[in-house]
């Protein structure tokens, strides 16, 4: 019965005709980037595969700062965003697809400090070892981090950065002992700047991410198309192959 219902929903979606989804990407290598070769990145590849499988088209607008991009999304002038986490607030203006990859937040240090920090198992451990943390200025990085924030801030053990490139340079300059952030993006920035980093065993946050569709400019039928496409591409191995090529799950 559940399979029949899903099939009927997908067939209903197809009757709605083709859809066009507008996105304004953020420069966030290796997930999204725009260079002389054009638009690329793992999220772009995953999104393009899903959209094409769904029988839709993807319209890539010019890159926008996060605040401007979010404002246009709320105004219904953009249709989709990637790497989104469902929240009660967002459900008021957006629809969320099935997950299409995992987000992993990691902790890293430089090789010469690894022996001291190797067995860190929580953010409280960082303070206990008289160490300091470099963290992204914005974002959610797990409950353990949220609980430890007051202590880290009160003891002056936390500094923030706006971009991963900035954070990696701060780590190299000794402005922090540990850096936290999206594991793939941090490794990419470290390679780009020739900074050697090593991962700690403790992973503070791992969660699935979703496509976020604008509730004002898309339909439930289009979401059904997207979800059906994700299911098909997971089953035939297309999405796992893209993720594996970029070293993520």
């Amino acid at each position: 019965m559940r399979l029949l219902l899903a099939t009927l929903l997908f067939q209903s979606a197809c009757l709605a005709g083709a859809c066009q989804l507008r996105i304004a990407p953020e420069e966030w290598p290796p997930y999204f980037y725009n260079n002389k070769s054009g638009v690329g990145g793992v999220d772009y590849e995953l999104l393009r595969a899903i959209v094409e499988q769904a029988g839709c088209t993807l319209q890539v607008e010019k890159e926008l700062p996060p605040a401007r991009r979010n404002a246009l999304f709320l105004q219904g002038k953009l249709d989709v965003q990637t790497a989104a986490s469902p929240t009660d607030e967002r459900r008021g203006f957006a629809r969320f697809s099935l997950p299409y990859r995992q987000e992993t937040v990691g902790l890293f240090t430089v090789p010469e400090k690894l022996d001291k920090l190797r067995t860190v198992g929580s953010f409280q451990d960082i303070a206990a070892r008289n160490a300091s943390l470099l963290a992204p200025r914005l974002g959610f990085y797990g409950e353990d981090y949220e609980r430890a924030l007051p202590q880290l801030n009160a003891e002056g053990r936390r500094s923030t950065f706006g971009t991963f490139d900035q954070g990696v340079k701060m780590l190299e300059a000794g402005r922090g002992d540990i850096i936290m952030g999206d594991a793939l993006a941090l490794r990419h920035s470290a390679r780009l700047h020739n900074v050697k980093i090593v991962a700690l065993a403790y992973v503070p946050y791992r969660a699935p991410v979703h496509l976020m569709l604008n509730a004002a400019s898309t339909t439930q039928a289009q979401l059904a198309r997207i979800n059906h496409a994700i299911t098909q591409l997971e089953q035939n191995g297309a999405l796992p192959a893209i993720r594996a090529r970029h070293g993520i799950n």
Side-chain angles (χ1 to χ4, degrees):
M1 178 61 72
R2 188 173 297 176
L3 179 61
L4 175 61
L5 182 60
T7 301
L8 290 174
L9 186 59
F10 176 66
Q11 291 173 343
S12 174
C14 290
L15 294 174
C19 60
Q20 183 179 69
L21 299 175
R22 299 163 294 174
I23 185 170
E26 176 184 2
E27 184 73 13
W28 188 31
Y31 293 105
F32 253 107
Y33 57 81
N34 195 352
N35 55 28
K36 294 179 181 179
S37 301
V39 182
V42 57
D43 265 3
Y44 174 71
E45 291 182 29
L46 291 166
L47 174 62
R48 186 179 62 184
I50 293 166
V51 168
E52 289 178 357
Q53 183 71 24
C56 300
T57 58
L58 185 65
Q59 180 177 326
V60 181
E61 308 285 356
K62 67 179 181 179
E63 180 189 346
L64 293 172
R68 178 62 176 159
R69 184 179 66 251
N70 292 337
L72 290 177
F73 188 87
L74 289 172
Q75 294 168 20
K77 296 179 180 178
L78 295 172
D79 306 310
V80 62
Q81 293 192 33
T82 58
S85 299
T87 65
D88 290 340
E89 179 184 4
R90 287 175 171 176
R91 286 189 179 94
F93 57 81
R95 316 174 197 276
F96 291 90
S97 75
L98 295 172
Y100 69 93
R101 69 169 172 85
Q102 289 281 324
E103 174 186 52
T104 300
V105 173
L107 296 179
F108 297 82
T109 189
V110 291
E112 55 267 28
K113 295 182 180 180
L114 181 59
D115 285 346
K116 173 187 174 183
L117 302 169
R118 187 188 304 274
T119 58
V120 163
S122 69
F123 288 98
Q124 286 78 9
D125 278 357
I126 294 175
R129 294 162 196 263
N130 295 318
S132 55
L133 176 70
L134 299 170
R137 194 168 295 133
L138 301 173
F140 177 77
Y141 301 98
E143 296 295 342
D144 183 37
Y145 178 63
E146 294 295 319
R147 287 191 297 268
L149 266 178
Q151 180 184 1
L152 292 171
N153 290 336
E155 296 181 3
R157 299 191 180 279
R158 186 183 77 115
S159 299
T160 61
F161 55 84
T163 67
F164 289 112
D165 288 349
Q166 180 187 19
V168 165
K169 290 178 182 178
M170 291 169 69
L171 181 72
E172 184 184 31
R175 295 178 59 186
D177 300 307
I178 297 171
I179 188 168
M180 176 180 72
D182 180 276
L184 191 65
L186 273 175
R187 288 191 175 101
H188 177 86
S189 290
R191 285 194 301 269
L192 185 66
H193 295 285
N194 198 28
V195 177
K196 292 183 178 180
I197 61 173
V198 288
L200 303 185
Y202 174 56
V203 176
Y205 185 67
R206 182 182 285 118
V209 294
H210 310 251
L211 300 180
M212 183 167 71
L213 274 63
N214 195 318
S217 63
T218 66
T219 67
Q220 191 66 33
Q222 288 169 342
L223 176 63
R225 278 184 167 197
I226 293 293
N227 283 339
H228 190 75
I230 291 172
T231 300
Q232 288 181 310
L233 293 171
E234 289 289 357
Q235 291 174 347
N236 69 21
L239 295 187
I242 294 172
R243 295 193 298 261
R245 191 166 66 248
H246 291 272
I248 60 175
N249 55 14

